Amino acid sequence: MIRVLVVDDEAMIRTGFRHILDAADDIQVVAAVHGGQAVRTAREARPDVVLLDIRMPDVDGLTVLAELRRMTEPPVVAMLTTFDMDEYVAAALRSGAAGFLLKDTDPEQLPYLIRSLADGGVVLSAKVTRTVVDGYLDAGPHNPAALAVDGLTDRERDVLVLVAEGLSNSGIAARMHLSSATVKDHVSAILTKLEVGGRVQAALLAERAGLLRPSRGEGDG
């Protein structure tokens, strides 16, 4: 059972996410709270995944994210936003957010996305991806983490590409005929060599390094 905590300042959003996710047999929403209750509730309920509003009036989502990341066994945190272009996205990425979702994400996709997050997958809303790429990767062409891609082994590069494609640990294991434990070891080595704090950063650096085939034309959107 995947334990989920929903944090949002709007009661309607909290109720909607709870209703959708609780309908899945393998997902349980352990709590749905506003930002001021987030850290205490996370420490008490020990969720596997937290869906966290990036902008809240009572407490900043980035502040909550930082507190959650300091927990002994931190949950996976995906940021919720209603904005296609949000200046907070890059900051959340650097703070260790594991994904970004728009609040109007297709309800049928939500359980799948939660499962992917719980299994170590990268989750990026298509509308948010360009913001992330532009904001995070515009650090300049001499970013040492991007240059570190050259220091990966061939196997680590293969794993990195699949991470960037959004595959979870079990998905990568199945694709490459490896054990999940071996995949976790490879991912850990990749994050260390790239000097990044999470899979999303590594995925974006893979795109910047040209390891991925373009999936859309420049004129799309």
Coordinates of all heavy atoms in Angstrom, one line a residue, residues 51-141:
L51 N 2.2 15.0 -2.1 CA 1.9 15.9 -3.1 C 1.7 17.3 -2.5 O 0.9 17.5 -1.6 CB 0.5 15.5 -3.8 CG 0.5 14.2 -4.5 CD1 -0.8 13.9 -5.1 CD2 1.6 14.1 -5.5
L52 N 2.6 18.2 -2.8 CA 2.8 19.5 -2.1 C 2.6 20.7 -3.0 O 3.3 20.9 -4.0 CB 4.2 19.5 -1.5 CG 4.7 20.8 -0.8 CD1 3.8 21.1 0.4 CD2 6.1 20.7 -0.4
D53 N 1.6 21.5 -2.6 CA 1.3 22.7 -3.3 C 2.6 23.6 -3.3 O 3.1 23.9 -2.2 CB 0.1 23.5 -2.7 CG -0.3 24.6 -3.5 OD1 0.2 24.9 -4.6 OD2 -1.3 25.3 -3.1
I54 N 3.0 24.2 -4.4 CA 4.2 24.9 -4.4 C 4.0 26.4 -3.9 O 5.0 27.0 -3.4 CB 4.8 25.0 -5.9 CG1 6.3 25.3 -5.9 CG2 4.0 26.0 -6.7 CD1 7.0 25.1 -7.2
R55 N 2.8 26.8 -3.9 CA 2.5 28.2 -3.4 C 1.2 28.1 -2.5 O 0.2 27.7 -2.9 CB 2.2 29.1 -4.6 CG 3.4 29.6 -5.4 CD 3.0 30.6 -6.4 NE 4.1 31.2 -7.1 CZ 4.0 32.1 -8.1 NH1 2.8 32.5 -8.5 NH2 5.1 32.6 -8.6
M56 N 1.5 28.5 -1.2 CA 0.4 28.5 -0.3 C 0.4 29.7 0.6 O 1.5 30.2 0.8 CB 0.5 27.2 0.6 CG 0.3 25.9 -0.1 SD 0.5 24.5 1.0 CE 2.3 24.5 1.2
P57 N -0.7 30.3 1.0 CA -0.7 31.5 1.7 C -0.2 31.4 3.2 O 0.4 32.4 3.7 CB -2.2 32.0 1.7 CG -2.9 30.7 1.6 CD -2.1 29.8 0.7
D58 N -0.3 30.3 3.8 CA 0.1 30.2 5.2 C 1.5 29.8 5.4 O 2.2 30.2 6.4 CB -0.8 29.1 5.9 CG -0.9 27.8 5.3 OD1 -0.5 27.7 4.1 OD2 -1.3 26.8 5.9
V59 N 2.1 29.0 4.4 CA 3.5 28.7 4.5 C 4.0 28.4 3.1 O 3.2 27.8 2.3 CB 3.7 27.4 5.4 CG1 3.0 26.2 4.9 CG2 5.2 27.1 5.6
D60 N 5.2 28.8 2.8 CA 5.7 28.6 1.4 C 6.0 27.1 1.2 O 6.6 26.4 2.0 CB 7.0 29.4 1.3 CG 7.6 29.3 -0.1 OD1 7.0 30.0 -1.0 OD2 8.5 28.6 -0.3
G61 N 5.6 26.6 0.0 CA 5.8 25.2 -0.3 C 7.3 24.8 -0.3 O 7.7 23.7 0.0
L62 N 8.2 25.7 -0.7 CA 9.6 25.5 -0.7 C 10.1 25.3 0.7 O 11.0 24.4 1.0 CB 10.4 26.6 -1.4 CG 10.1 26.8 -2.9 CD1 10.9 28.0 -3.4 CD2 10.4 25.5 -3.7
T63 N 9.5 26.0 1.7 CA 9.9 25.8 3.1 C 9.5 24.5 3.6 O 10.3 23.8 4.3 CB 9.3 26.9 4.0 OG1 9.7 28.2 3.5 CG2 9.6 26.8 5.4
V64 N 8.3 24.1 3.2 CA 7.8 22.7 3.6 C 8.7 21.6 3.0 O 9.1 20.7 3.7 CB 6.4 22.5 3.2 CG1 5.9 21.1 3.5 CG2 5.5 23.5 3.9
L65 N 9.0 21.8 1.7 CA 9.9 20.8 1.0 C 11.2 20.7 1.8 O 11.7 19.5 2.0 CB 10.1 21.3 -0.4 CG 11.1 20.5 -1.2 CD1 10.7 19.0 -1.3 CD2 11.3 21.1 -2.6
A66 N 11.8 21.8 2.1 CA 13.1 21.7 2.8 C 13.0 21.0 4.1 O 13.9 20.2 4.5 CB 13.6 23.1 3.1
E67 N 11.9 21.2 4.9 CA 11.7 20.5 6.1 C 11.5 19.0 5.9 O 12.0 18.2 6.7 CB 10.5 21.1 6.9 CG 10.7 22.5 7.4 CD 11.7 22.5 8.6 OE1 11.8 21.5 9.3 OE2 12.4 23.5 8.7
L68 N 10.7 18.6 4.9 CA 10.5 17.2 4.6 C 11.8 16.5 4.2 O 12.0 15.4 4.6 CB 9.4 17.1 3.5 CG 8.0 17.6 3.8 CD1 7.1 17.5 2.6 CD2 7.4 16.8 5.0
R69 N 12.6 17.2 3.4 CA 13.9 16.6 3.0 C 14.8 16.4 4.1 O 15.7 15.5 4.0 CB 14.5 17.5 2.0 CG 13.7 17.6 0.6 CD 13.8 16.4 -0.1 NE 15.1 16.0 -0.6 CZ 15.5 14.9 -1.1 NH1 14.6 13.9 -1.3 NH2 16.7 14.7 -1.5
R70 N 14.6 17.0 5.3 CA 15.5 16.9 6.4 C 15.1 15.7 7.3 O 15.7 15.4 8.3 CB 15.6 18.2 7.2 CG 16.5 19.2 6.6 CD 16.9 20.3 7.6 NE 15.8 21.2 7.8 CZ 15.6 22.3 7.1 NH1 16.5 22.7 6.1 NH2 14.6 23.1 7.3
M71 N 13.9 15.1 7.0 CA 13.5 14.0 7.8 C 14.4 12.8 7.7 O 15.1 12.7 6.7 CB 12.1 13.5 7.4 CG 11.0 14.6 7.7 SD 9.3 14.1 7.1 CE 9.1 12.5 7.8
T72 N 14.5 12.0 8.7 CA 15.4 10.8 8.7 C 15.2 9.9 7.5 O 16.1 9.5 6.8 CB 15.3 10.0 10.0 OG1 15.5 10.9 11.1 CG2 16.3 8.9 10.0
E73 N 13.9 9.6 7.2 CA 13.6 8.9 6.0 C 12.6 9.7 5.3 O 11.4 9.6 5.4 CB 13.0 7.5 6.4 CG 14.0 6.6 7.1 CD 13.3 5.3 7.4 OE1 12.2 5.0 7.1 OE2 14.0 4.4 8.1
P74 N 13.1 10.7 4.5 CA 12.2 11.6 3.8 C 11.3 11.0 2.8 O 11.7 10.0 2.1 CB 13.1 12.6 3.1 CG 14.4 11.8 2.9 CD 14.5 10.9 4.1
P75 N 10.0 11.4 2.6 CA 9.1 10.9 1.6 C 9.5 11.5 0.3 O 10.3 12.4 0.1 CB 7.8 11.4 2.0 CG 8.1 12.7 2.7 CD 9.4 12.5 3.5
V76 N 9.0 10.8 -0.8 CA 9.1 11.4 -2.1 C 8.2 12.6 -2.2 O 7.0 12.4 -1.9 CB 8.8 10.3 -3.2 CG1 8.8 10.9 -4.6 CG2 9.8 9.2 -3.1
V77 N 8.6 13.7 -2.7 CA 7.8 14.9 -2.8 C 7.6 15.3 -4.3 O 8.6 15.6 -5.0 CB 8.4 16.0 -2.0 CG1 7.4 17.3 -2.0 CG2 8.6 15.6 -0.5
A78 N 6.4 15.5 -4.7 CA 6.1 16.0 -6.0 C 5.3 17.3 -5.8 O 4.4 17.4 -5.0 CB 5.2 15.1 -6.8
M79 N 5.7 18.4 -6.5 CA 5.1 19.7 -6.3 C 3.9 19.8 -7.2 O 3.9 19.4 -8.3 CB 6.1 20.8 -6.7 CG 7.5 20.6 -6.0 SD 7.4 20.6 -4.2 CE 6.9 22.2 -3.8
L80 N 2.9 20.5 -6.6 CA 1.6 20.7 -7.3 C 1.6 22.2 -7.7 O 2.0 23.1 -6.9 CB 0.4 20.4 -6.5 CG 0.2 19.0 -6.1 CD1 -0.9 18.9 -5.0 CD2 -0.1 18.1 -7.3
T81 N 1.2 22.5 -8.9 CA 1.1 23.9 -9.3 C 0.0 24.1 -10.3 O -0.3 23.2 -11.0 CB 2.5 24.4 -9.9 OG1 2.4 25.8 -10.4 CG2 2.9 23.5 -11.1
T82 N -0.5 25.3 -10.4 CA -1.5 25.7 -11.4 C -0.9 26.5 -12.5 O -1.5 26.9 -13.5 CB -2.6 26.5 -10.8 OG1 -2.1 27.7 -10.2 CG2 -3.4 25.7 -9.8
F83 N 0.4 26.8 -12.4 CA 1.1 27.7 -13.3 C 2.0 26.9 -14.4 O 2.7 26.0 -14.0 CB 2.0 28.6 -12.6 CG 1.3 29.5 -11.6 CD1 1.2 29.1 -10.3 CD2 0.7 30.6 -12.0 CE1 0.5 29.8 -9.3 CE2 0.0 31.4 -11.0 CZ -0.1 31.0 -9.7
D84 N 1.8 27.3 -15.6 CA 2.7 26.7 -16.7 C 4.1 27.3 -16.5 O 5.1 26.6 -16.8 CB 2.2 27.1 -18.1 CG 0.9 26.4 -18.4 OD1 0.4 25.6 -17.5 OD2 0.3 26.6 -19.5
M85 N 4.2 28.6 -16.1 CA 5.5 29.2 -16.0 C 5.6 29.7 -14.5 O 5.1 30.7 -14.2 CB 5.6 30.4 -17.0 CG 5.5 30.0 -18.4 SD 6.8 28.9 -19.0 CE 8.2 30.1 -18.9
D86 N 6.3 28.9 -13.7 CA 6.4 29.2 -12.3 C 7.8 29.3 -11.9 O 8.6 28.4 -12.0 CB 5.7 28.1 -11.5 CG 5.4 28.5 -10.1 OD1 6.3 29.2 -9.5 OD2 4.4 28.1 -9.6
E87 N 8.2 30.5 -11.4 CA 9.6 30.7 -11.1 C 10.1 29.9 -9.9 O 11.3 29.7 -9.6 CB 9.9 32.2 -10.8 CG 9.2 32.8 -9.5 CD 7.8 33.3 -9.8 OE1 7.2 32.9 -10.8 OE2 7.3 34.0 -9.0
Y88 N 9.1 29.3 -9.2 CA 9.5 28.5 -8.0 C 9.9 27.1 -8.4 O 10.5 26.3 -7.6 CB 8.3 28.3 -7.1 CG 8.0 29.5 -6.2 CD1 7.6 30.7 -6.8 CD2 8.2 29.5 -4.8 CE1 7.3 31.8 -6.0 CE2 7.9 30.5 -4.0 CZ 7.5 31.7 -4.6 OH 7.2 32.8 -3.8
V89 N 9.6 26.7 -9.7 CA 9.9 25.3 -10.1 C 11.4 25.0 -10.0 O 11.8 23.9 -9.5 CB 9.3 25.1 -11.5 CG1 9.8 23.7 -12.1 CG2 7.8 25.1 -11.5
A90 N 12.2 25.8 -10.6 CA 13.7 25.5 -10.5 C 14.2 25.4 -9.1 O 15.0 24.6 -8.8 CB 14.4 26.6 -11.3
A91 N 13.7 26.3 -8.2 CA 14.2 26.3 -6.8 C 13.7 25.0 -6.2 O 14.5 24.4 -5.4 CB 13.6 27.5 -6.1
A92 N 12.5 24.5 -6.4 CA 12.0 23.3 -5.9 C 12.9 22.1 -6.4 O 13.2 21.2 -5.7 CB 10.6 23.1 -6.2
L93 N 13.2 22.2 -7.7 CA 14.1 21.1 -8.3 C 15.4 21.0 -7.5 O 15.8 19.9 -7.2 CB 14.3 21.4 -9.7 CG 15.3 20.6 -10.5 CD1 14.8 19.1 -10.6 CD2 15.5 21.1 -11.9
R94 N 16.0 22.2 -7.3 CA 17.3 22.1 -6.6 C 17.2 21.7 -5.2 O 18.2 21.2 -4.6 CB 17.9 23.5 -6.6 CG 18.3 24.0 -8.0 CD 19.1 25.3 -8.0 NE 19.4 25.8 -9.4 CZ 18.6 26.7 -10.0 NH1 17.6 27.2 -9.5 NH2 19.0 27.0 -11.3
S95 N 16.0 21.8 -4.6 CA 15.8 21.4 -3.2 C 15.4 19.9 -3.1 O 15.2 19.5 -2.0 CB 14.7 22.3 -2.6 OG 15.1 23.6 -2.5
G96 N 15.3 19.2 -4.2 CA 15.1 17.8 -4.1 C 13.7 17.3 -4.5 O 13.4 16.2 -4.2
A97 N 12.9 18.1 -5.1 CA 11.6 17.7 -5.5 C 11.7 16.6 -6.5 O 12.6 16.6 -7.4 CB 10.8 18.8 -6.1
A98 N 10.9 15.5 -6.5 CA 11.0 14.4 -7.3 C 10.1 14.5 -8.6 O 10.1 13.6 -9.4 CB 10.6 13.1 -6.6
G99 N 9.3 15.6 -8.6 CA 8.4 15.7 -9.8 C 7.5 17.0 -9.7 O 7.5 17.6 -8.6
F100 N 6.9 17.3 -10.8 CA 6.0 18.4 -10.8 C 4.7 18.1 -11.6 O 4.8 17.5 -12.7 CB 6.7 19.6 -11.6 CG 8.0 20.0 -10.9 CD1 9.2 19.3 -11.3 CD2 8.1 21.0 -10.0 CE1 10.4 19.6 -10.7 CE2 9.3 21.3 -9.4 CZ 10.4 20.6 -9.7
L101 N 3.6 18.4 -11.0 CA 2.3 18.1 -11.6 C 1.4 19.3 -11.6 O 1.4 20.1 -10.6 CB 1.6 17.0 -10.8 CG 2.2 15.6 -10.7 CD1 1.4 14.7 -9.8 CD2 2.3 15.0 -12.1
L102 N 0.7 19.5 -12.7 CA -0.3 20.6 -12.7 C -1.6 20.0 -11.9 O -1.9 18.8 -12.0 CB -0.7 21.0 -14.1 CG 0.4 21.7 -14.8 CD1 -0.1 22.0 -16.3 CD2 0.8 23.0 -14.1
K103 N -2.3 20.9 -11.3 CA -3.4 20.5 -10.5 C -4.6 20.0 -11.4 O -5.5 19.3 -10.9 CB -3.9 21.6 -9.6 CG -3.0 22.0 -8.5 CD -3.5 23.1 -7.6 CE -2.5 23.5 -6.6 NZ -3.0 24.6 -5.7
D104 N -4.5 20.3 -12.7 CA -5.6 19.8 -13.6 C -5.1 18.6 -14.4 O -5.6 18.3 -15.4 CB -6.0 20.9 -14.6 CG -4.8 21.4 -15.5 OD1 -3.7 20.9 -15.3 OD2 -5.1 22.3 -16.3
T105 N -4.1 17.9 -13.8 CA -3.6 16.6 -14.4 C -4.8 15.6 -14.6 O -5.7 15.6 -13.7 CB -2.6 15.9 -13.5 OG1 -1.4 16.8 -13.5 CG2 -2.1 14.6 -14.1
D106 N -4.9 14.9 -15.7 CA -5.9 13.9 -15.9 C -6.1 13.0 -14.7 O -5.1 12.3 -14.3 CB -5.6 13.1 -17.2 CG -6.7 12.1 -17.6 OD1 -7.6 12.0 -16.8 OD2 -6.5 11.5 -18.7
P107 N -7.3 13.0 -14.1 CA -7.5 12.2 -12.9 C -7.1 10.7 -13.1 O -6.7 10.0 -12.2 CB -9.0 12.3 -12.6 CG -9.3 13.7 -13.2 CD -8.5 13.8 -14.4
E108 N -7.4 10.2 -14.4 CA -7.1 8.8 -14.6 C -5.6 8.5 -14.6 O -5.2 7.4 -14.4 CB -7.6 8.4 -16.0 CG -9.1 8.4 -16.1 CD -9.6 7.9 -17.4 OE1 -8.8 7.6 -18.3 OE2 -10.8 7.8 -17.6
Q109 N -4.7 9.5 -14.7 CA -3.3 9.4 -14.7 C -2.7 9.4 -13.3 O -1.6 9.0 -13.0 CB -2.6 10.4 -15.6 CG -2.9 10.3 -17.0 CD -2.3 9.0 -17.6 OE1 -1.1 8.7 -17.3 NE2 -3.0 8.3 -18.4
L110 N -3.5 10.0 -12.3 CA -2.9 10.3 -11.0 C -2.4 9.0 -10.3 O -1.3 9.0 -9.8 CB -3.9 11.0 -10.1 CG -4.0 12.5 -10.4 CD1 -5.1 13.1 -9.5 CD2 -2.7 13.2 -10.1
P111 N -3.2 7.9 -10.2 CA -2.7 6.7 -9.6 C -1.4 6.2 -10.2 O -0.5 5.8 -9.5 CB -3.9 5.7 -9.7 CG -5.1 6.6 -9.9 CD -4.6 7.8 -10.7
Y112 N -1.4 6.2 -11.5 CA -0.1 5.7 -12.2 C 1.0 6.6 -11.8 O 2.2 6.1 -11.6 CB -0.4 5.8 -13.7 CG 0.9 5.7 -14.5 CD1 1.5 4.4 -14.7 CD2 1.6 6.8 -15.1 CE1 2.7 4.3 -15.5 CE2 2.7 6.7 -15.8 CZ 3.3 5.4 -16.0 OH 4.5 5.3 -16.7
L113 N 0.9 7.9 -11.8 CA 1.9 8.8 -11.4 C 2.4 8.6 -10.0 O 3.6 8.7 -9.7 CB 1.5 10.3 -11.6 CG 1.2 10.7 -13.1 CD1 0.6 12.1 -13.1 CD2 2.4 10.5 -14.0
I114 N 1.5 8.4 -9.1 CA 1.8 8.1 -7.7 C 2.7 6.8 -7.6 O 3.7 6.7 -6.9 CB 0.6 8.0 -6.8 CG1 -0.1 9.3 -6.7 CG2 0.9 7.4 -5.4 CD1 0.7 10.4 -6.0
R115 N 2.2 5.8 -8.3 CA 3.0 4.5 -8.3 C 4.4 4.7 -8.9 O 5.4 4.2 -8.3 CB 2.3 3.5 -9.2 CG 0.9 3.0 -8.6 CD 0.3 2.0 -9.4 NE -1.1 1.7 -9.0 CZ -2.2 2.1 -9.7 NH1 -2.0 2.7 -10.9 NH2 -3.4 1.9 -9.3
S116 N 4.5 5.5 -9.9 CA 5.8 5.8 -10.5 C 6.7 6.5 -9.5 O 7.9 6.2 -9.3 CB 5.7 6.6 -11.8 OG 6.9 6.9 -12.4
L117 N 6.2 7.5 -8.8 CA 6.9 8.3 -7.8 C 7.4 7.4 -6.7 O 8.6 7.4 -6.3 CB 6.1 9.4 -7.2 CG 5.9 10.6 -8.1 CD1 4.7 11.5 -7.6 CD2 7.1 11.5 -8.3
A118 N 6.5 6.5 -6.2 CA 6.9 5.6 -5.1 C 8.0 4.6 -5.5 O 8.7 4.2 -4.6 CB 5.6 4.9 -4.6
D119 N 8.0 4.3 -6.8 CA 9.0 3.4 -7.3 C 10.3 4.1 -7.8 O 11.1 3.5 -8.5 CB 8.4 2.5 -8.3 CG 9.2 1.2 -8.6 OD1 9.9 0.7 -7.7 OD2 9.3 0.8 -9.8
G120 N 10.4 5.4 -7.5 CA 11.6 6.1 -7.9 C 11.6 6.7 -9.3 O 12.6 7.2 -9.8
G121 N 10.4 6.8 -9.9 CA 10.3 7.3 -11.2 C 10.3 8.8 -11.2 O 10.1 9.5 -10.2
V122 N 10.6 9.4 -12.4 CA 10.6 10.9 -12.6 C 9.2 11.3 -13.2 O 8.8 10.7 -14.2 CB 11.7 11.3 -13.5 CG1 11.5 12.8 -13.9 CG2 13.0 11.1 -12.9
V123 N 8.5 12.2 -12.6 CA 7.2 12.6 -13.0 C 7.3 14.1 -13.3 O 7.4 14.9 -12.4 CB 6.1 12.3 -12.0 CG1 4.8 12.9 -12.4 CG2 6.0 10.8 -11.8
L124 N 7.1 14.5 -14.6 CA 7.1 15.9 -15.0 C 5.9 16.1 -15.9 O 5.7 15.5 -16.9 CB 8.3 16.3 -15.7 CG 9.7 16.3 -15.0 CD1 10.8 16.5 -15.9 CD2 9.6 17.4 -13.9
S125 N 5.0 17.0 -15.5 CA 3.9 17.4 -16.3 C 4.5 18.0 -17.6 O 5.4 18.8 -17.6 CB 3.0 18.5 -15.6 OG 2.2 19.1 -16.6
A126 N 3.9 17.7 -18.8 CA 4.4 18.2 -20.0 C 4.4 19.7 -20.1 O 5.3 20.3 -20.6 CB 3.5 17.6 -21.2
K127 N 3.4 20.3 -19.5 CA 3.4 21.8 -19.5 C 4.4 22.4 -18.5 O 4.9 23.5 -18.7 CB 2.0 22.3 -19.0 CG 0.9 21.9 -20.0 CD -0.4 22.4 -19.5 CE -1.6 22.1 -20.4 NZ -2.9 22.6 -20.0
V128 N 4.9 21.7 -17.5 CA 5.9 22.2 -16.6 C 7.3 21.9 -17.1 O 8.2 22.7 -16.8 CB 5.7 21.5 -15.2 CG1 6.8 22.0 -14.2 CG2 4.3 21.9 -14.6
T129 N 7.5 20.9 -17.9 CA 8.8 20.5 -18.4 C 9.6 21.7 -19.0 O 10.8 21.8 -18.6 CB 8.7 19.4 -19.4 OG1 8.1 18.2 -18.8 CG2 10.1 18.9 -19.8
R130 N 9.0 22.4 -19.8 CA 9.7 23.5 -20.5 C 10.2 24.6 -19.4 O 11.3 25.1 -19.5 CB 8.9 24.2 -21.5 CG 9.5 25.4 -22.3 CD 10.9 25.0 -22.8 NE 10.9 23.8 -23.5 CZ 12.0 23.1 -23.9 NH1 13.2 23.6 -23.5 NH2 12.0 22.0 -24.6
T131 N 9.3 24.8 -18.4 CA 9.7 25.7 -17.4 C 11.0 25.2 -16.6 O 11.9 25.9 -16.3 CB 8.6 25.9 -16.4 OG1 7.4 26.4 -17.1 CG2 9.0 26.9 -15.3
V132 N 10.9 23.9 -16.3 CA 12.0 23.3 -15.6 C 13.3 23.4 -16.4 O 14.4 23.7 -15.9 CB 11.7 21.8 -15.2 CG1 12.9 21.1 -14.6 CG2 10.5 21.8 -14.3
V133 N 13.2 23.0 -17.7 CA 14.4 23.0 -18.5 C 15.0 24.4 -18.6 O 16.2 24.6 -18.5 CB 14.0 22.4 -19.9 CG1 15.2 22.6 -20.9 CG2 13.7 20.9 -19.8
D134 N 14.1 25.4 -18.9 CA 14.6 26.7 -19.1 C 15.1 27.3 -17.8 O 16.2 27.9 -17.8 CB 13.4 27.6 -19.6 CG 13.1 27.3 -21.0 OD1 13.8 26.6 -21.7 OD2 12.0 27.8 -21.5
G135 N 14.5 27.0 -16.7 CA 14.9 27.6 -15.4 C 16.1 26.9 -14.8 O 17.0 27.6 -14.3
Y136 N 16.1 25.6 -14.8 CA 17.2 24.9 -14.2 C 18.4 24.8 -15.0 O 19.5 25.0 -14.6 CB 16.7 23.5 -13.8 CG 17.8 22.7 -13.1 CD1 18.2 22.9 -11.8 CD2 18.4 21.6 -13.8 CE1 19.1 22.2 -11.2 CE2 19.4 20.8 -13.2 CZ 19.7 21.1 -11.9 OH 20.7 20.4 -11.2
L137 N 18.2 24.6 -16.3 CA 19.4 24.3 -17.2 C 20.0 25.6 -17.7 O 21.1 25.6 -18.3 CB 19.0 23.5 -18.4 CG 18.5 22.1 -18.0 CD1 18.3 21.2 -19.3 CD2 19.6 21.4 -17.1
D138 N 19.3 26.8 -17.5 CA 19.9 28.0 -17.9 C 21.0 28.5 -17.0 O 21.3 29.7 -17.0 CB 18.8 29.1 -18.1 CG 18.1 29.0 -19.4 OD1 18.5 28.2 -20.2 OD2 17.1 29.7 -19.6
A139 N 21.6 27.6 -16.2 CA 22.7 28.0 -15.3 C 23.9 28.3 -16.1 O 24.9 28.8 -15.6 CB 22.9 26.9 -14.3
G140 N 23.9 28.0 -17.4 CA 25.1 28.3 -18.2 C 25.7 27.0 -18.8 O 25.5 25.9 -18.3
P141 N 26.5 27.2 -19.9 CA 27.1 26.0 -20.5 C 28.2 25.3 -19.8 O 28.6 24.2 -20.2 CB 27.6 26.6 -21.9 CG 27.9 28.0 -21.5 CD 26.8 28.4 -20.5

